[in-house]
Amino acid sequence: MNKNLLLLSIVVPVYNEEEVIEEFNRRLVNTFSKTDIKYEVIYVNDGSNSQTSKILRKIADSAKNIRLIELSRNFGHQIAVTAGLDYSSGEIVVVIDADLQDPPEIILQMIDQWRNGYKVVYGIRRNRKENIFKRMAYYSFYRLLQNFSKVYIPPDSGDFSLMDRQVVNMLVAMPERNRFVRGLRSWVGFKQIGIEYDRDERFAGKSKYSLSKLFLLASDGVVNFSITPINMISNIGLFLFVSSILAAIFLIIWRISNFKILGHMPSDVQGFTTLAVLLLFFSGVQLLSVGIIGQYIGRIYDESKQRPKYIVENELGFSKSKNNLIFGDQRGAQEVKTSGEIL
Ligand code: UDP
Ligand code: MG
């Protein structure tokens, strides 16, 4: 591989990061200033407030290799990453958060591993500097996912990663809308390796992941990558079905023979409590099951609508700027891209 041809795209999803983004850009640019790596930075403005948007435009104006995609509203982190991947043209692509929790300097180590032949190099968080509740939630989520999913999704790896063009092209070609990028990244296979790093605290600002957004991400992770929840329902259902038949046979025999159990005859009017409890229990199980099935149906519904994944309002700094409104899918469906010289 000719070193000078190496073109790295760095995809940075940004949502209301006015306190961090300039510092982030400085550290990122600094990281590469001592190298001869040719790179582009693609900021994806995921419907941020005007302050962040203004700063991003300024940053994009400051250098030719810094580009900006502005989405027409907040589409969420995973979709913003997807948009960035669609627009990337580097031989390798790095996805990194804008809040400096993922140190940009690690990218150089990732590139070394790529030179060693790995197609995906993902960051593994050695320790998290987040509150205990969030840490516990993450811990259980990744273990649950590992048990459920047939695809090996490395625990404690986030979206911070380097991907070879071949992998990126696969991701870009995937039409699904409920995206769990780190899962898809594992699903494609190829030679993958993790690099451990300390996940810093946010440089400034608050996490843009609310509890509900995190929950949605987690359920995308589980439901998109396994049918274990459906199998569990079937198993519980089978168990309940068999036990209720046994119970029914017993009750009928009891009624007919009218023998005493613990001093009770079936003809005594009793057992309202039991019935009520049973009724509640079974309707609970049923509702839960219907809920889980609903998760899948909801996703089938989403996918079947074939909506664009995102809508780009503006593109800044790209050489082949087209019309103002570009649907993500049209861009994604383009010919397989090769490493273009666009600097
Ligand atoms: N982000 C985004 N859209 C969103 C939420 C977050 O583009 O709807 C970006 C955010 O600006 C940051 C990255 O995704 O660069 C990760 O978000 P955050 O740091 O809030 O997540 P956490 O690190 O707390 O999991
Ligand atoms: Mg963060």
Side-chain angles (χ1 to χ4, degrees), residues 97 99 101 199 202:
D97 285 355
D99 57 4
Q101 282 194 285
R199 188 148 161 96
R202 256 180 172 274

Side-chain angles (χ1 to χ4, degrees), residues 28-302:
L28 187 67
V29 170
N30 244 337
T31 305
F32 292 101
S33 60
K34 300 154 221 141
T35 70
D36 58 355
I37 296 170
K38 287 194 175 173
Y39 68 98
E40 62 169 355
V41 186
I42 302 178
Y43 287 102
V44 184
N45 182 351
D46 186 16
S48 301
N49 56 26
S50 57
Q51 186 58 22
T52 301
S53 306
K54 221 169 80 190
I55 299 175
L56 276 176
R57 285 191 174 203
K58 208 176 81 194
I59 293 175
D61 272 344
S62 69
K64 253 178 73 187
N65 62 334
I66 301 184
R67 316 184 202 292
L68 173 62
I69 304 168
E70 295 177 326
L71 302 186
S72 59
R73 64 171 169 83
N74 179 244
F75 281 87
H77 180 200
Q78 300 292 301
I79 297 292
V81 169
T82 304
L85 294 181
D86 285 354
Y87 275 79
S88 69
S89 48
E91 193 56 35
I92 45 181
V93 182
V94 163
V95 176
I96 185 169
D97 285 355
D99 57 4
L100 286 174
Q101 282 194 285
D102 310 324
E105 296 76 21
I106 304 282
I107 298 175
L108 297 178
Q109 293 177 34
M110 291 179 159
I111 295 175
D112 285 343
Q113 289 291 27
W114 175 74
R115 292 210 167 103
N116 288 338
Y118 289 97
K119 293 268 162 80
V120 173
V121 188
Y122 50 84
I124 301 175
R125 295 140 184 193
R126 197 179 294 136
N127 59 344
R128 288 172 176 279
K129 296 185 178 129
E130 278 143 348
N131 69 43
I132 179 126
F133 171 71
K134 223 174 166 177
R135 284 213 308 261
M136 268 165 55
Y138 273 117
Y139 183 88
S140 6
F141 165 68
Y142 280 113
R143 272 38 182 204
L144 184 81
L145 191 63
Q146 220 174 355
N147 287 328
F148 272 14
S149 171
K150 278 192 190 140
V151 182
Y152 174 69
I153 300 175
D156 300 320
S157 67
D159 289 330
F160 182 34
S161 62
L162 174 152
M163 290 175 274
D164 186 88
R165 170 55 44 198
Q166 225 178 337
V167 173
V168 175
N169 282 343
M170 295 315 299
L171 293 191
V172 166
M174 286 183 192
E176 55 194 282
R177 265 136 200 84
N178 290 297
R179 288 197 161 241
F180 185 61
V181 174
R182 65 202 77 158
L184 297 175
R185 189 184 69 206
S186 305
W187 182 89
V188 296
F190 297 106
K191 263 178 93 179
Q192 309 210 353
I193 192 170
I195 289 189
E196 286 200 346
Y197 72 103
D198 292 315
R199 188 148 161 96
D200 295 329
E201 262 170 271
R202 256 180 172 274
F203 180 75
K206 278 211 284 274
S207 171
K208 304 300 177 297
Y209 264 100
S210 58
L211 204 60
S212 62
K213 268 189 180 172
L214 263 185
F215 187 76
L216 276 179
L217 183 70
S219 76
D220 270 345
V222 170
V223 177
N224 288 6
F225 284 92
S226 85
I227 54 163
T228 308
I230 285 190
N231 290 340
M232 271 162 48
I233 296 174
S234 319
N235 291 341
I236 295 173
L238 189 68
F239 174 74
L240 290 179
F241 180 67
V242 172
S243 2
S244 61
I245 287 181
L246 292 179
I249 293 173
F250 168 76
L251 287 174
I252 291 168
I253 295 176
W254 188 26
R255 187 76 187 84
I256 293 171
S257 57
N258 212 11
F259 57 86
K260 262 190 182 173
I261 294 179
L262 299 174
H264 291 296
M265 313 257 274
S267 43
D268 299 345
V269 181
Q270 272 187 359
F272 281 112
T273 324
T274 324
L275 279 179
V277 169
L278 281 178
L279 191 73
L280 283 174
F281 174 71
F282 285 116
S283 31
V285 170
Q286 280 170 6
L287 278 181
L288 180 71
S289 315
V290 171
I292 300 181
I293 293 173
Q295 294 266 325
Y296 285 89
I297 295 182
R299 281 167 178 75
I300 294 171
Y301 177 58
D302 258 8

